[in-house]
């Protein structure tokens, strides 16, 4: 599905590809910074203290989420400046791409890079050694990880739309909602290997975020009905 979003909505527009790559880069930088801080914290702590190590892991995840959203805000500021430059250079005084379209493409960029790193970690585990579930754990690790990766890609896309809309209209509660949802989804992964505890809430939040983003983008129930019935 994520590849389909790229092919059908982004791949044919060079400007959208640039925005997507830049968004992926911003997410990557946020991950590198949060990983560096977590690595330093782990090295400076006692590795034999299991409760401390678990606390550092939780801290690392939460800090990474906050840093990702901070970089999303910085990217919004950068794109806002870019729009002003495009308007100044255009002959008709209009930008070739709207802030809503930028929000969508930037969200896809964040999501694709997030999904790529999730798949890299998953494939690294798949190389072995060992067999999944050999000690009685769930054998659905790879399947559930794939579903979790997919939902995170879509969530980043919807979060991008909501976040940019909140910044554009100074609705700080929308930005707060995005951060809270991101923290909730990331925190739910600590229920694993009880995968129901992470997948079900994540998909429910994805449905809510998708509906919210659809309405903010100008969608309506009538338009959705026409789309489902293939009516023009």
């Amino acid at each position: 599905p994520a590849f389909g979003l790229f092919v059908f909505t982004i791949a044919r527009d060079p400007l959208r590809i640039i925005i997507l790559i830049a968004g992926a880069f911003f997410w990557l930088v946020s991950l590198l910074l949060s990983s560096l801080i977590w690595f330093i914290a782990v090295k400076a702590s006692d590795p034999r203290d299991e409760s401390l190590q678990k606390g550092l892991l939780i801290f690392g995840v939460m800090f990474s989420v906050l840093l990702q959203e901070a970089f999303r805000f910085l990217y919004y500021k950068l794109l806002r400046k870019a729009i002003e430059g495009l308007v100044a250079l255009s002959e008709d005084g209009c930008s070739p791409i709207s802030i809503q379209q930028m929000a969508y493409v930037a969200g896809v960029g964040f999501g694709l890079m997030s999904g790529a790193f999730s798949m890299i970690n998953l494939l690294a585990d798949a190389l072995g050694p060992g067999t999944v579930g050999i000690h009685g754990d769930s054998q659905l690790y790879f399947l559930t990880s794939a579903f979790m990766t997919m939902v995170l890609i879509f969530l980043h896309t919807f979060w991008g739309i909501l976040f940019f809309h909140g910044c554009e209209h100074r609705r700080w509660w929308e930005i707060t909602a995005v951060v809270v949802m991101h923290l909730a989804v990331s925190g739910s992964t600590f229920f694993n290997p009880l995968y129901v505890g992470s997948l079900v809430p994540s998909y429910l939040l994805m449905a809510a975020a998708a509906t919210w983003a659809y309405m903010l983008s100008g969608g309506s129930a009538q338009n959705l009905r026409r789309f489902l019935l293939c009516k023009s």
Side-chain angles (χ1 to χ4, degrees), residues 20-231:
L20 180 138
I21 294 175
F25 174 76
F26 268 72
W27 185 91
L28 180 60
V29 173
S30 71
L31 177 68
L32 291 175
L33 290 177
S34 58
S35 299
L36 178 62
I37 293 174
W38 176 78
F39 178 78
I40 294 174
V42 169
K43 289 298 182 181
S45 62
D46 184 3
R48 294 169 295 182
D49 191 338
E50 294 184 2
S51 61
L52 176 60
Q53 294 302 315
K54 184 177 180 179
L56 287 175
L57 179 61
I58 296 174
F59 163 77
V61 171
M62 299 299 112
F63 181 78
S64 177
V65 168
L66 296 176
L67 199 59
Q68 287 177 45
E69 297 306 328
F71 270 79
R72 198 192 302 271
F73 179 74
L74 292 176
Y75 193 40
Y76 162 77
K77 287 293 188 180
L78 178 64
L79 290 179
R80 207 68 191 82
K81 292 293 184 181
I83 287 181
E84 295 174 3
L86 291 172
V87 170
L89 293 174
S90 64
E91 297 180 355
D92 56 359
C94 297
S95 172
I97 185 170
S98 66
I99 190 66
Q100 291 87 353
Q101 292 171 332
M102 282 186 170
Y104 163 74
V105 177
V108 174
F110 268 62
L112 287 179
M113 184 56 71
S114 172
F117 264 80
S118 297
M119 290 305 298
I120 289 173
N121 292 332
L122 186 64
L123 293 175
D125 290 338
L127 292 176
T131 302
V132 175
I134 194 171
H135 294 297
D137 295 324
S138 174
Q139 297 185 6
L140 301 177
Y141 169 70
F142 294 114
L143 182 62
T144 53
S145 296
F147 276 104
M148 196 66 189
T149 299
M150 182 177 69
V151 75
L152 280 173
I153 293 174
F154 282 123
L155 278 171
H156 271 293
T157 302
F158 303 139
W159 287 337
I161 297 172
L162 298 175
F163 194 96
F164 278 42
H165 185 272
C167 293
E168 191 72 8
H169 298 276
R170 297 187 179 277
R171 296 181 179 178
W172 306 116
W173 61 272
E174 291 182 352
I175 299 174
T176 303
V178 170
V179 176
V180 170
M181 283 191 288
H182 199 167
L183 288 170
V185 171
S186 298
S188 69
T189 58
F190 289 109
F191 286 106
N192 294 338
L194 182 61
Y195 297 114
V196 175
S198 59
L199 284 176
V200 173
S202 297
Y203 273 85
L204 290 176
L205 283 175
M206 184 192 71
T211 303
W212 192 0
Y214 176 73
M215 299 304 293
L216 290 182
S217 300
S220 64
Q222 183 179 6
N223 291 339
L224 181 61
R225 191 182 306 111
R226 288 179 177 177
F227 169 75
L228 294 176
L229 296 177
C230 299
K231 293 183 178 180

